[in-house]
């Protein structure tokens, strides 16, 4: 039954990455000691009036921090903080909390909080709080898609959501604003998840922003292998070229992948060994019209068309096929059986004005 | 058990690595055998390429698995039933000749002479098609010529990713033009005259019988549907056991290797058009279910029309492609003297898929 469901969900209009790469984090949170200079928390409050705040509690990527670590069974407490922040800095705005539809416990807690808030307080603060459930399918939490699903607004990929009066916050930023600006307490640590095939164990770390990546990873990396480090996930994140780079307040997670730059005999017998490494897992070929990319595309584009334009030398023609709608989630490159660099092609075509 | 295997594997891996470095350090050896080694190595080991651009993880599906899926489906779809119906000696020598001539002679020579593409597994798929759509009594040299022509044509176009029309069907077209009597005769009845080694040289002394479609054209007699479905009727080597072809075809669609739109559009349109024509034109047109189950329609719809690169890229275009194939098939079968029209239908629609694709794109993005 589970197998069946997997096939049904896995490859249609977005990808359920949580099922493809199940990642387990160890329960305890480890504190990383660092005595060097530390970045202090600051939040750039927008100049524009904020009408909607979207809080995403539904991570769609397996390497993201699980909710239960951040909330620690104190959901009402978190919602109180959210309410305080909203009342103080973004009055008259609506709060939209997005929750994974499978997490019924969280949904119940939320509903209880809302009911008690309506009952207890003289002013209806529950009125500004909205709950939305979402399937944990990558990349449904991308700003463009989350705004479209929740508010029904169409915003472009290159537009800033603030221009539309929408502020997208994550849980740790809300806690940060609450503790730093309202309670005026010292707030200088951040939870970061580290995972991947290059590590001995997937862990959740408490890190002071300003700590170099090297120092965070040092005790956890497997010995004797080549590895590459990515910030915010290998799908649409960035690669860390220089390991002395420092963690800032926007880093959500670090993924360390094994670099398999040698040939593996009988790869079809040991797919699990190659899975979740940087290996291309195949040869570069030409497009075979398999339609995998347009089946998986979350915004209904046909990415192979851009590649056809590109390979013909007609980059400027890619704009004719709805290129501006692309949200650069990278799923087309991920799924392509010919291993074409579709995301790279799309970015090159986009940069051509 | 596992440890000795691991040791053998390391030695094997090391020796392959040393052969690779040897070949790459000697340009003349590389010129002659580089591509052959690369092809063989590619079947055994994974590539060493890693992702240089985002996304840095890739799915495990690659074109090799894609083609391997088609090969597996073809094997269980027609090779196994054909061995059951016509005997081991009728099928296996043909496959060997097809592979030896197609892949190991023509493909290898081509790659040595004009080394731009590496040898890839698409050649196996083409060569596995060749015996399937020739009659069971086709001589071995005919299979060899067919495989050679197909692979040569495929390599001239550029192989997987460049094919304009299905190379295997093009090979059969050439055979139909050059040796018309051999391609459309020698329909042996299953379970009779299982060949021996001697008979390979002189042909089998078996009962031949016209295919159901020819019988219908001549006498108007309709063969029983059950015998058509389970392969007791006459026909080409690979097309008779329709139930196996349907099961493997559905498996291919489920694995998303074959696009389900094409078989559905093709078979559906054959059913609808033949129903319309048989209602209007009367008895000269075969009944719809008979049309679905006779000839190479099931084989063509699931395996030939879905050949990935020769259709349109657009999904809507795939519906039009399938419907066009169905219409041409019904028209050729019923209103021309030729009994079977799958090959012409698919070849013609392969060529038409280029304009269909551009029309669909214009309608979708520019209107």
């Amino acid at each position: 039954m589970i197998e069946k469901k997997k096939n049904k969900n896995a490859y249609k209009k977005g990808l359920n990455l949580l099922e493809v790469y199940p990642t387990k984090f160890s329960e305890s949170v480890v504190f990383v000691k660092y005595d060097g200079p530390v970045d202090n928390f600051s939040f750039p409050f927008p100049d524009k009036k904020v009408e909607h705040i979207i809080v995403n509690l539904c991570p769609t990527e397996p390497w993201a921090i699980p909710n239960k670590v951040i909330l620690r069974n104190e959901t009402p407490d978190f919602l109180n903080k959210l309410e305080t922040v909203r009342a103080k800095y973004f009055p008259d705005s609506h709060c939209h909390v997005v929750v994974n539809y499978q997490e019924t416990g969280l949904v119940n807690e939320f509903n209880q909080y809302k009911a008690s808030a309506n009952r207890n307080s003289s002013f209806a603060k529950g009125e500004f709080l909205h709950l939305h459930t979402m399937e944990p399918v990558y990349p449904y939490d991308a700003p463009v898609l989350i705004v479209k699903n929740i508010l029904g607004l169409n915003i472009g990929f290159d537009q800033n959501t603030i221009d539309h009066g929408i502020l997208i916050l994550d849980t740790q930023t809300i806690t940060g604003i609450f503790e730093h600006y309202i309670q005026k307490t010292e707030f200088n640590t951040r939870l970061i998840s580290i995972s991947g095939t290059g590590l001995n164990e997937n862990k959740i770390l408490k890190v002071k922003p300003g700590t170099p990546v090297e120092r965070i990873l040092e005790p956890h990396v497997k010995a004797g292998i080549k590895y590459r480090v990515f910030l915010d996930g290998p799908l649409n994140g960035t690669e860390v070229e220089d390991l002395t780079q420092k963690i800032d307040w926007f880093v959500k997670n670090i993924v360390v992948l094994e670099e398999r730059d040698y040939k593996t005999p009988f790869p079809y017998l040991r797919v699990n060994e190659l899975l979740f490494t940087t290996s291309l897992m195949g040869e570069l070929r030409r497009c075979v019209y398999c339609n995998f990319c347009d089946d998986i595309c979350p915004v209904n584009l046909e990415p192979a068309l851009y590649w056809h334009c590109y390979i013909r030398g007609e980059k400027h023609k890619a704009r004719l096929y709805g290129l501006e709608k692309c949200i650069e989630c990278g799923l087309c490159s991920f799924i392509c059986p010919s291993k074409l660099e579709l995301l790279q092609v799309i970015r090159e075509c986009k940069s051509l004005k | 058990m596992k440890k000795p295997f691991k040791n053998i594997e390391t030695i094997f891996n090391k020796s392959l690595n040393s052969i690779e470095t040897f070949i790459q350090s000697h340009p003349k050896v590389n010129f002659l055998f580089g591509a052959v080694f690369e092809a063989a190595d590619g079947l055994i080991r994974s590539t060493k390429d890693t992702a240089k651009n985002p996304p840095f993880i890739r799915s495990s599906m690659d074109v090799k698995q894609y083609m391997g899926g088609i090969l597996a489906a073809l094997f269980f779809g027609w090779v196994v039933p054909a061995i059951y119906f016509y005997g081991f000696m009728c099928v296996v020598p043909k496959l060997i000749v097809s592979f030896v001539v197609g892949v190991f002679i023509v493909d290898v020579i081509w790659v040595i002479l004009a080394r731009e593409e590496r040898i890839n597994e698409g050649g196996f798929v083409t060569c596995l098609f060749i015996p399937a759509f020739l009659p069971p009594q086709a001589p071995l040299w005919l299979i060899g010529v067919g495989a050679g022509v197909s692979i040569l044509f495929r390599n001239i176009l550029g192989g997987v990713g460049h094919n304009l029309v299905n190379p295997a069907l093009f090979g059969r077209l050439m055979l139909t033009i050059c040796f018309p009597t051999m391609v459309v005769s020698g329909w042996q009845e299953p379970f009779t005259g299982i060949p021996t080694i001697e008979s390979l040289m002189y042909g089998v002394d078996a009962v031949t019988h016209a295919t159901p479609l020819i019988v219908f054209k001549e006498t108007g007699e309709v063969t029983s549907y059950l015998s058509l479905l389970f392969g007791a009727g006459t026909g080409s080597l690979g097309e008779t056991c329709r139930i196996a072809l349907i099961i493997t075809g559905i498996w291919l669609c489920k694995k998303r290797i074959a696009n389900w739109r094409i078989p559905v559009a093709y078979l559906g349109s054959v059913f609808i058009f033949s129903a319309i024509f048989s209602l209007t034109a009367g008895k000269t047109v075969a009944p719809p279910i008979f049309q679905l189950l006779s000839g190479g329609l099931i084989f063509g719809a699931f395996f030939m029309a879905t050949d990935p690169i020769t259709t349109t890229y657009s999904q809507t275009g795939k519906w039009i492609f399938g419907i066009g194939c169905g219409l041409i098939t019904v028209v050729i079968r019923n209103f021309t003297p030729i009994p079977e029209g799958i090959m012409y239908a698919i070849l013609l629609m392969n060529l038409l898929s280029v304009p269909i694709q551009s029309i669909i794109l214009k309608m979708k993005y520019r209107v």
Side-chain angles (χ1 to χ4, degrees):
Chain A
M1 190 61 206
I2 297 163
E3 196 68 34
K4 232 180 193 175
K5 214 179 163 200
K6 216 179 207 175
N7 282 339
K8 204 180 126 206
N9 289 342
Y11 297 115
K12 193 76 185 170
K13 304 292 172 207
L15 178 70
N16 198 332
L17 274 175
L18 300 173
E19 282 173 1
V20 181
Y21 300 112
T23 310
K24 273 242 153 68
F25 292 98
S26 53
E27 290 286 321
S28 56
V29 176
V30 182
F31 181 69
V32 179
K33 277 184 188 152
Y34 180 64
D35 303 327
V38 175
D39 285 2
N40 280 324
F41 180 80
S42 70
F43 181 76
F45 287 100
D47 311 330
K48 286 205 160 189
K49 187 176 167 2
V50 174
E51 285 167 14
H52 299 280
I53 300 172
I54 295 175
V55 183
N56 183 12
L57 284 179
C58 175
T60 61
E61 293 164 76
W63 39 83
I65 309 176
N67 276 331
K68 62 172 191 284
V69 180
I70 304 175
L71 298 177
R72 278 167 300 172
N73 301 326
E74 292 167 358
T75 316
D77 192 39
F78 167 73
L79 290 171
N80 272 330
K81 283 180 193 169
L82 177 63
E83 175 57 33
T84 325
V85 169
R86 185 193 73 82
K88 176 134 192 218
Y89 291 103
F90 314 109
D92 302 330
S93 65
H94 288 262
C95 271
H96 303 268
V97 180
V98 186
V99 180
N100 186 345
Y101 76 105
Q102 289 157 335
E103 289 191 59
T104 43
L106 198 59
V107 175
N108 285 340
E109 277 178 321
F110 187 91
N111 284 332
Q112 277 168 15
Y113 173 81
K114 211 176 156 179
S116 66
N118 281 342
R119 233 187 358 258
N120 293 345
S121 53
S122 51
F123 65 100
K125 68 179 170 182
E127 214 174 82
F128 295 101
L129 204 57
H130 309 276
L131 178 73
H132 300 268
T133 52
M134 188 170 83
E135 258 186 282
V137 176
Y138 180 83
Y140 286 7
D141 60 348
V144 175
L145 289 182
I146 208 167
V147 168
K148 197 179 173 191
N149 286 339
I150 289 171
L151 304 172
L153 287 172
N154 283 317
I155 56 168
F157 175 70
D158 45 357
Q159 282 171 312
N160 200 337
T161 49
I162 295 293
D163 297 341
H164 296 260
I166 300 159
L167 190 63
I168 298 176
L169 295 176
D170 64 2
T171 33
Q172 296 203 56
T173 316
I174 289 163
T175 322
I177 296 172
F178 179 78
E179 294 193 1
H180 186 80
Y181 290 103
I182 295 173
Q183 292 202 322
K184 309 276 185 203
T185 52
E186 195 184 351
F187 184 75
N188 60 1
T189 55
R190 183 174 171 80
L191 291 175
I192 283 178
S193 58
I194 58 168
S195 57
T197 42
L199 297 176
N200 291 319
E201 204 182 357
N202 300 332
K203 282 225 158 99
I204 292 162
L205 306 178
K206 203 170 205 180
V207 179
K208 287 180 184 167
T211 320
V213 175
E214 210 174 17
R215 185 169 174 103
I216 297 173
L217 294 179
E218 213 180 348
H220 306 289
V221 176
K222 272 184 200 164
I225 58 158
K226 272 191 185 177
Y227 60 91
R228 281 160 84 183
V229 182
F230 306 97
L231 296 184
D232 293 343
L235 266 175
N236 55 2
T238 48
E239 183 170 1
V240 182
E241 305 281 351
D242 176 19
L243 283 181
T244 52
Q245 186 184 325
K246 287 176 179 173
I247 294 291
D248 59 17
W249 280 100
F250 301 101
V251 173
K252 297 184 186 78
N253 50 61
I254 301 175
V255 177
V256 184
L257 295 183
E258 192 184 341
E259 169 93 333
R260 279 239 167 195
D261 57 351
Y262 50 91
K263 294 187 174 181
T264 316
F266 310 112
Y268 10 84
L269 299 179
R270 33 166 91 180
V271 179
N272 286 339
E273 225 174 276
L274 286 172
L275 214 65
F276 210 39
T277 63
T278 55
S279 170
L280 270 188
M281 318 222 356
E283 288 168 14
L284 190 69
R285 293 281 174 85
R286 280 185 63 107
C287 174
V288 295
Y289 291 11
C290 60
N291 291 96
F292 281 21
C293 52
D294 63 322
D295 272 350
I296 206 169
C297 183
V299 285
N300 281 326
L301 295 175
E302 293 172 299
L305 291 179
Y306 310 131
W307 190 80
H308 296 160
C309 291
Y310 182 83
I311 208 74
R312 283 200 304 264
E314 298 171 329
K315 272 193 232 172
H316 55 284
K317 284 200 175 170
R319 293 212 159 260
L320 296 174
Y321 307 126
L323 183 64
E324 70 285 345
K325 276 192 212 157
C326 174
I327 57 167
E328 298 186 11
C329 64
L331 277 181
C332 43
S333 294
F334 170 80
I335 204 77
C336 182
S338 302
K339 313 294 168 193
L340 303 173
E341 303 284 357
L342 289 166
L343 182 59
Q344 194 67 15
V345 166
I346 287 172
R347 282 185 179 157
E348 260 180 60
C349 292
K350 268 189 177 177
S351 67
L352 202 75
K353 287 284 174 202
Chain B
M1 186 62 208
K2 263 197 167 172
K3 218 180 173 189
F5 177 70
K6 197 120 202 178
N7 286 339
I8 292 168
E9 200 186 278
T10 0
I11 295 166
F12 183 65
N13 198 10
K14 268 185 188 164
S15 52
L16 277 178
N17 277 337
S18 54
I19 295 172
E20 195 181 7
T21 43
F22 173 78
I23 286 179
Q24 278 168 2
S25 56
H26 296 72
K28 276 182 187 162
V29 182
N30 193 9
F31 176 75
L32 284 177
F33 299 109
V36 181
F37 175 78
E38 257 174 44
D41 194 30
L43 288 178
I44 302 166
R45 300 193 291 173
S46 69
T47 52
K48 57 178 166 191
D49 305 333
T50 53
K52 293 283 175 286
N53 298 314
F56 298 98
I57 45 170
R58 303 294 166 98
S59 89
S60 59
M61 183 79 169
D62 67 339
V63 176
K64 269 205 186 82
Q65 279 183 38
Y66 199 88
M67 292 295 171
I70 300 177
L71 281 177
L74 278 174
F75 182 77
F76 289 107
W78 83 260
V79 177
V80 174
I83 288 174
Y84 176 69
F85 285 119
Y86 297 101
F88 194 74
M89 289 307 291
C90 179
V91 180
V92 176
K94 286 180 181 167
L95 283 181
I96 293 172
V97 167
S98 177
F99 281 141
V100 166
V101 174
V103 180
F104 297 108
I105 298 178
V106 179
D107 222 3
V108 168
I109 289 176
W110 178 272
V111 166
I112 289 172
L113 290 180
R115 197 196 158 185
E116 280 172 10
E117 278 282 313
R118 47 171 73 186
I119 307 174
N120 55 35
E121 59 297 315
F124 286 103
V125 177
T126 306
C127 288
L128 200 49
F129 276 133
I130 305 286
F133 46 47
L134 290 172
Q137 286 198 3
L140 287 181
W141 62 265
L142 191 72
I143 308 272
V145 170
V149 169
S150 302
I151 296 290
L152 190 65
F153 178 69
R154 175 180 164 278
N155 281 336
I156 290 170
L157 282 183
V160 180
H162 299 260
N163 288 343
L164 189 61
V165 299
N166 191 324
L169 278 179
F170 181 82
R172 189 179 192 264
L173 183 70
M174 290 298 287
L175 293 183
T176 319
I177 294 167
C178 302
F179 315 102
T181 51
M182 289 193 168
V183 175
V184 293
S185 67
W187 311 104
Q188 180 190 330
E189 285 202 38
F191 299 123
T192 55
I194 294 196
T196 55
I197 294 177
E198 294 94 60
S199 68
L200 277 178
M201 304 295 293
Y202 310 106
V204 199
D205 192 20
V207 189
T208 59
H209 191 269
T211 62
L213 277 170
I214 301 175
V215 171
F216 180 82
K217 206 139 233 182
E218 283 165 357
T219 64
E221 183 195 329
V222 173
T223 322
S224 106
Y225 294 152
L226 265 185
S227 76
L228 283 175
L229 190 63
F230 287 96
T234 49
S236 296
L237 197 54
E239 69 187 25
T240 50
C241 185
R242 271 126 199 145
I243 189 82
L245 289 172
I246 291 172
I247 292 168
T248 49
I250 289 172
W251 177 78
L252 270 189
C253 293
K254 208 164 178 243
K255 283 264 157 196
R256 300 173 16 97
I257 292 170
N259 201 310
W260 60 272
R261 290 166 182 82
I262 294 172
V264 167
Y266 198 166
L267 299 175
S269 65
V270 164
F271 186 84
I272 290 167
F273 284 127
S274 56
I276 293 171
F277 286 139
S278 63
L279 284 178
T280 51
K283 283 242 159 181
T284 50
V285 178
I289 295 174
F290 174 69
Q291 296 234 14
L292 279 185
L293 291 176
S294 57
L297 182 63
I298 304 278
F299 188 73
F302 278 110
F303 294 96
M304 312 239 80
T306 55
D307 189 26
I309 193 69
T310 56
T311 60
T312 62
Y313 171 71
S314 150
Q315 308 260 26
T316 330
K318 283 188 162 123
W319 286 105
I320 298 173
F321 176 88
I323 292 169
C325 283
L327 180 64
I328 298 171
T329 307
V330 173
V331 167
I332 290 181
R333 272 184 178 180
N334 298 301
F335 303 109
T336 64
I338 313 165
E340 178 61 302
I342 305 290
M343 177 178 71
Y344 304 105
I346 295 177
L347 282 177
L348 191 59
M349 287 313 287
N350 280 167
L351 293 175
L352 280 179
S353 70
V354 179
I356 290 173
Q357 165 79 9
S358 44
I359 290 169
I360 294 275
L361 284 188
K362 266 191 190 150
M363 282 169 63
K364 191 170 173 191
Y365 291 104
R366 289 187 216 174
V367 175

